[in-house]
Amino acid sequence: MTDRTYMRVRHDMPPGHVRTPAYLRGKIGWVERTLGPFPNPEQLAYRHAGQPLPLMRLRFTMAEVWGNAADGHQDTIDAEIYSHWLEPADAPHAP
Amino acid sequence: MPHDHHDHLSPSGHPYRPDDDHPLTYWQQMEIAVRELLIEKGVTTAQDINAQIDAMDARTPANGAAVVARAWTDPAFRTALLEDASTATREMGFDIGPMRLIALENTADVHNIVVCTLCSCYPRNLLGLPPDWYKSRAYRSRTVKEPRKILAEFGVTLPENTTVRVHDSTADMRYIVIPHRPAGTDDWTADALGALVTRDSMIGTGLAKLPSA
């Protein structure tokens, strides 16, 4: 577990076309694998050239995302997040 | 008959579907206008559009089932599929186009389930059109929060110590679940195994059928 790279999803609510689910913003997960680069969909949506960005598959525990309301604390959610939405983070504390 | 006293029900016991005779919506008009303009200006033809609709309708979960059955019976393919599913399935003749595919293998300890909370991303080249429930707000919002309840509603109850992995298809990847191969099928051919692989088992809301079922 110590070799995990933890990242926090930016806690922002910008307008426009964004493919970062709101329920994961501000949450901390670890990198499951790195994909891409893929063009930034926030630019593509407005017919701009999309800047190529790494796409990270982040894995979150249910406990991190939903706290005590989580269905199964050891269960996980994986999601693809573009790198400009991520910042380095420490491992989250158990809720 | 339980439905005898309800004259709004058809003889099959199901409600009559209302006739679709309301005026066209804005977007329906827009679609027709753009389609007619594209045909009029020679960009495409009505035959091309029909051929594309036929091609979309021809894609069924049998494609995905062939991939799963091969993964169960061909260890080298299974390895290639888990490593790079886009390439492995393309070599079988299932081209996912500009998207990328990730294969998620269920094991004795892990159960995978796929959802797209933002819209309805789905591996259409392997599974055909998504079922209506996959696009519903209820499935999209609940699967990431209470996957075990969703699974139970689909008739799948997992042991407490099985890890459920939810995969939110948020961007460029598409996902297919490789369900656990049922016991008692050791000497089965890939063709026979394919018949056990349901659409839902490849979304993760179901399991592969048992040989006796």
Side-chain angles (χ1 to χ4, degrees):
Chain A
M1 307 247 179
T2 49
D3 56 354
R4 286 177 180 170
T5 303
Y6 284 92
M7 308 284 258
R8 182 196 312 273
V9 182
R10 273 170 36 211
H11 202 321
D12 290 342
M13 291 287 167
H17 178 83
V18 170
R19 296 207 66 87
T20 303
Y23 74 94
L24 293 175
R25 298 185 201 174
K27 305 298 183 189
I28 296 174
W30 66 95
V31 178
E32 189 266 339
R33 71 182 92 175
T34 303
L35 304 158
F38 293 112
N40 183 352
E42 295 165 25
Q43 295 164 319
L44 287 183
Y46 303 97
R47 308 194 70 177
H48 296 176
Q51 182 195 351
L53 293 172
L55 181 65
M56 323 289 268
R57 283 196 91 237
L58 245 57
R59 180 164 289 172
F60 305 85
T61 63
M62 284 282 169
E64 164 67 7
V65 178
W66 305 114
N68 289 328
D71 200 4
H73 282 227
Q74 83 288 4
D75 295 342
T76 61
I77 303 172
D78 289 11
E80 304 147 41
I81 312 286
Y82 289 92
S83 59
H84 67 306
W85 270 90
L86 297 173
E87 52 201 19
D90 295 326
H93 299 291
Chain B
M1 290 282 289
H3 298 315
D4 278 349
H5 304 294
H6 301 276
D7 55 9
H8 57 283
L9 295 173
S10 79
S12 70
H14 294 280
Y16 285 108
R17 186 170 173 160
D19 283 327
D20 184 16
D21 52 6
H22 56 79
L24 294 176
T25 65
Y26 174 84
W27 292 110
Q28 284 172 322
Q29 285 185 52
M30 180 71 89
E31 182 273 321
I32 294 166
V34 170
R35 173 157 44 89
E36 288 182 349
L37 278 168
L38 289 171
I39 292 169
E40 199 177 297
K41 304 226 176 252
V43 177
T44 186
T45 65
Q47 288 84 349
D48 284 343
I49 292 170
N50 274 322
Q52 188 60 41
I53 292 171
D54 282 347
M56 283 195 268
D57 282 346
R59 299 181 302 191
T60 75
N63 295 358
V67 171
V68 170
R70 189 170 169 202
W72 283 346
T73 52
D74 177 346
F77 177 75
R78 172 185 166 273
T79 304
L81 185 69
L82 294 175
E83 182 70 27
D84 179 353
S86 316
T87 303
T89 51
R90 189 173 293 122
E91 284 167 2
M92 271 185 89
F94 303 123
D95 191 348
I96 194 144
M99 296 299 166
R100 310 296 175 89
L101 185 71
I102 290 180
L104 307 161
E105 187 180 50
N106 286 351
T107 66
D109 308 317
V110 174
H111 182 91
N112 295 284
I113 178 169
V114 180
V115 61
C116 173
T117 58
L118 296 177
C119 44
S120 57
C121 297
Y122 193 73
R124 293 176 183 223
N125 71 319
L126 295 177
L127 301 186
L129 294 173
D132 284 348
W133 56 257
Y134 185 83
K135 300 181 277 186
S136 71
R137 196 177 288 280
Y139 180 77
R140 287 160 48 212
S141 58
R142 292 182 56 214
T143 300
V144 289
K145 185 155 189 193
E146 43 187 32
R148 287 174 185 265
K149 287 198 186 111
I150 291 280
L151 284 165
E153 289 169 23
F154 276 94
V156 178
T157 305
L158 299 168
E160 283 275 319
N161 57 1
T162 300
T163 299
V164 175
R165 294 211 190 288
V166 181
H167 302 268
D168 190 354
S169 190
T170 44
D172 296 84
M173 314 311 288
R174 298 293 176 269
Y175 297 91
I176 183 171
V177 175
I178 309 299
H180 203 47
R181 179 173 174 168
T185 60
D186 288 354
D187 53 354
W188 286 40
T189 63
D191 276 352
L193 287 166
L196 301 179
V197 184
T198 63
R199 176 196 66 193
D200 288 7
S201 74
M202 294 181 279
I203 300 172
T205 51
L207 306 175
K209 286 194 264 187
L210 297 175
S212 53

